[in-house]
Amino acid sequence: MKSKVLALILLCGAASLGAKVKLPALVGDNMILQQQTEVKLWGTAAPEAEVRVTPSWNGQTMTCRADKDGGWTLAVETPAAGYTPYEITFQDGEKTTLKNILIGEVWLASGQSNMEMPLKGFAGCCIMNGADDIIVSAENKGVRMFTVPKHQTYELQTDCKGSWNISSIETAPDFSATAYYFATSLSRALRIPVGIICSAYGGSTVEGWISRELLENYPDISLNPDSIERLHPMLRPMLMYNAMLKPLQNYTIKGFIWYQGESNVGRHETYAERLADMVQLWRKEWGLGELPFYFAEIAPYAYGGTQQEKAAYLREAQFRAQSLIPNSGMISTNDLVEPYEMYNIHPRNKTKVGQRLSYLALNLTYGLKQIHCFGPQYKSWTAKGSEAWVSFDHLEMGICRNYDLRGFEVAGEDRVFHPADKVWLHWQTNEVVISSEKVPNPVAVRYCFRDFQVGTMIGGNELPTIPFRTDNW
């Protein structure tokens, strides 16, 4: 009997020494790794076991030792991007091989439902040309996506569910549309594979993607579980960060794209600073320096009626956030809605949103300065009699629509805004001249500073003018 017990103990000991390496969901078949850098690979093995990792692109075996809990991390150098499929072998007694790995550019996409919205659309909300783009999705052989399932936890997580998917008619319907159009644009311009990790939660606030330690500094946020549970699940702070962001932070990426803000409408006073806090936190935890952070302005939507301004203040805070976040940029979506979408918070045109985000990356991150990435932005104004003369930045290609300019309003000393009845371009100086018969002495100008108001003034690359106001009322 004693000999049988001893044999069982020896067998268990041998099994623990030869345990199979366990990898997180992100490190799997079909993944794309960031090119020409040291990427992190990680997982668990037997406690204090030696883990051997061999990538097929160089055939060199690297080793590391798991800690007392079995966790291990290894840095591996990657080659230049390309479409050659590689394998990586992991071994701790038993071999695990990952297949069909590409080397390219990797970006994290996050935010709320307009980032989450898939190519197949939501019920009652379609994607423009979504079905046609799904049909041809297999032609984008270098685009792959890992979608993190929606989840919330009070405790920090080290892993999530999900898998890397190759773009195809079977998988693309569930890809984030904004992220897909961003990736396909980048892939075509750079002629290399592009991988997207999409972690988005519809209705989430910026506070949902921030850590407990930071949220404790915000006096209006309660982290008491009872207080959190009373909130709608979409509006709960911290829980998306714990479950859907923390598990991703070992994966080496190039940058972030972000589409969120609708759920913070009405709380614009704190938005810019908290978005900046979030970005600083993410960059610190990835440990890869000032990773680029490119984000989308919330689209026109009638939150409380067409004459409301709650969303306008949030957009203003988004624009201001650029000055607080180094290496960041915002695209405008002011022109990407149809009149019938006034009460649709998920406008169908995600193609242009993704492409415009890619313009920022191509110009600012990859140095392709031929791709203009900023629309006209308010610079200054002066009153000349009954006219307001407004000047703009980012007019490298001028103002490309210089007639039928709609969206401007002017106010006099009574602070009542009236739609401009005359708008014209002074082409010699690229100033826009605005007037209203009801305002003989203008003291302020606004452009599309409403919840739902679509303007028509565009600059280079058909990029719209950023909504603005000259007053602080």
Side-chain angles (χ1 to χ4, degrees):
M1 181 70 179
K2 289 183 179 179
S3 61
K4 290 183 179 180
V5 172
L6 179 61
L8 181 60
I9 292 172
L10 292 173
L11 181 62
C12 291
S16 66
L17 290 174
K20 187 175 182 179
V21 170
K22 182 180 178 181
L23 300 171
L26 263 176
V27 181
D29 292 338
N30 304 319
M31 66 180 174
I32 294 182
L33 295 175
Q34 181 62 36
Q35 67 166 325
Q36 294 180 309
T37 189
E38 282 193 345
V39 302
K40 288 182 181 178
L41 300 174
W42 72 100
T44 57
E48 300 182 349
E50 182 181 77
V51 177
R52 297 178 294 280
V53 180
T54 307
S56 66
W57 56 80
N58 60 21
Q60 298 178 1
T61 298
M62 292 155 287
T63 63
C64 65
R65 191 163 295 278
D67 61 25
K68 61 182 178 60
D69 298 316
W72 58 270
T73 304
L74 189 67
V76 177
E77 291 188 1
T78 53
Y83 288 89
T84 300
Y86 294 109
E87 296 182 354
I88 304 178
T89 299
F90 302 83
Q91 194 162 356
D92 171 23
E94 187 176 346
K95 184 185 295 185
T96 297
T97 300
L98 300 184
K99 299 181 178 180
N100 197 24
I101 298 164
L102 294 183
I103 308 298
E105 295 292 295
V106 183
W107 288 74
L108 173 66
S110 189
Q112 58 182 109
S113 55
N114 272 308
M115 182 63 83
E116 178 190 349
M117 189 176 183
L119 272 175
K120 66 184 179 185
F122 289 143
C125 304
C126 60
I127 293 289
M128 183 178 70
N129 299 325
D132 290 336
D133 289 333
I134 289 169
I135 289 170
V136 300
S137 59
E139 296 177 6
N140 295 302
K141 299 183 182 301
V143 173
R144 300 180 179 184
M145 194 171 298
F146 184 103
T147 301
V148 180
K150 290 197 294 185
H151 189 41
Q152 298 183 0
T153 61
Y154 284 90
E155 302 299 326
L156 294 171
Q157 301 299 300
T158 59
D159 199 2
C160 62
K161 296 182 179 180
S163 61
W164 282 95
N165 284 299
I166 300 169
S167 182
S168 71
I169 198 169
E170 292 80 19
T171 61
D174 295 312
F175 285 1
S176 157
T178 294
Y180 175 77
Y181 292 123
F182 171 83
T184 54
S185 182
L186 274 192
S187 181
R188 289 167 185 168
L190 302 175
R191 298 182 181 276
I192 57 175
V194 173
I196 300 288
I197 303 168
C198 184
S199 182
Y201 197 114
S204 59
T205 64
V206 68
E207 292 86 358
W209 299 94
I210 294 176
S211 68
R212 172 181 289 275
E213 290 73 19
L214 270 180
L215 291 171
E216 287 173 346
N217 298 318
Y218 301 160
D220 59 314
I221 300 295
S222 172
L223 298 178
N224 182 296
D226 290 337
S227 299
I228 293 177
E229 290 298 322
R230 284 195 292 269
L231 296 172
H232 190 286
M234 296 186 297
L235 302 178
R236 292 170 180 166
M238 178 182 70
L239 304 189
M240 295 79 176
Y241 169 85
N242 289 345
M244 298 177 62
L245 198 282
K246 194 65 180 177
L248 315 178
Q249 292 174 354
N250 274 337
Y251 207 93
T252 304
I253 61 175
K254 187 68 173 183
F256 307 100
I257 57 173
W258 174 257
Y259 195 169
Q260 188 276 337
E262 295 90 346
S263 289
N264 283 88
V265 167
R267 291 181 284 161
H268 54 272
E269 297 93 342
T270 58
Y271 187 80
E273 286 75 17
R274 291 183 185 182
L275 186 63
D277 286 348
M278 186 198 79
V279 176
Q280 185 178 32
L281 170 69
W282 290 12
R283 287 171 171 171
K284 178 181 178 182
E285 295 193 334
W286 254 271
L288 298 171
E290 286 188 350
L291 292 173
F293 182 82
Y294 303 133
F295 60 103
E297 168 194 75
I298 61 171
Y301 173 73
Y303 288 83
T306 57
Q307 298 304 308
Q308 299 297 311
E309 300 167 355
K310 293 186 297 183
Y313 293 121
L314 194 283
R315 295 185 195 101
E316 186 176 59
Q318 290 182 304
F319 182 79
R320 186 167 68 85
Q322 295 173 106
S323 65
L324 304 178
I325 305 171
N327 197 20
S328 71
M330 185 193 83
I331 63 153
S332 178
T333 60
N334 175 259
D335 61 329
L336 300 184
V337 296
E338 305 291 344
Y340 69 83
E341 293 180 312
M342 179 182 295
Y343 298 105
N344 180 1
I345 204 167
H346 304 119
R348 69 190 188 114
N349 191 342
K350 295 296 186 286
T351 310
K352 290 293 185 181
V353 178
Q355 289 173 348
R356 287 175 183 177
L357 289 167
S358 81
Y359 298 164
L360 288 171
L362 290 170
N363 185 305
L364 302 177
T365 300
Y366 298 105
L368 298 178
K369 301 302 181 184
Q370 306 90 335
I371 306 298
H372 296 284
C373 60
F374 291 114
Q377 298 178 11
Y378 168 74
K379 179 180 180 182
S380 62
W381 83 285
T382 186
K384 296 182 181 180
S386 63
E387 296 177 328
W389 288 57
V390 184
S391 61
F392 296 86
D393 285 323
H394 295 293
L395 295 182
E396 294 84 1
M397 295 297 291
I399 295 172
C400 298
R401 178 166 178 168
N402 53 22
Y403 64 94
D404 189 26
L405 297 178
R406 286 173 276 143
F408 288 96
E409 296 179 281
V410 290
E413 293 181 359
D414 61 0
R415 298 188 175 186
V416 176
F417 281 91
H418 299 274
D421 49 38
K422 185 177 182 181
V423 183
W424 57 280
L425 175 67
H426 187 258
W427 62 267
Q428 295 90 338
T429 60
N430 264 337
E431 291 174 285
V432 177
V433 185
I434 303 148
S435 61
S436 169
E437 292 182 356
K438 296 180 180 180
V439 184
N441 297 298
V443 300
V445 180
R446 290 184 175 185
Y447 178 76
C448 294
F449 204 79
R450 303 279 183 181
D451 280 1
F452 188 92
Q453 188 174 20
V454 179
T456 60
M457 180 173 147
I458 61 173
N461 268 13
E462 296 189 325
L463 297 176
T465 299
I466 305 287
F468 69 89
R469 60 172 175 159
T470 65
D471 62 277
N472 60 358
W473 305 336

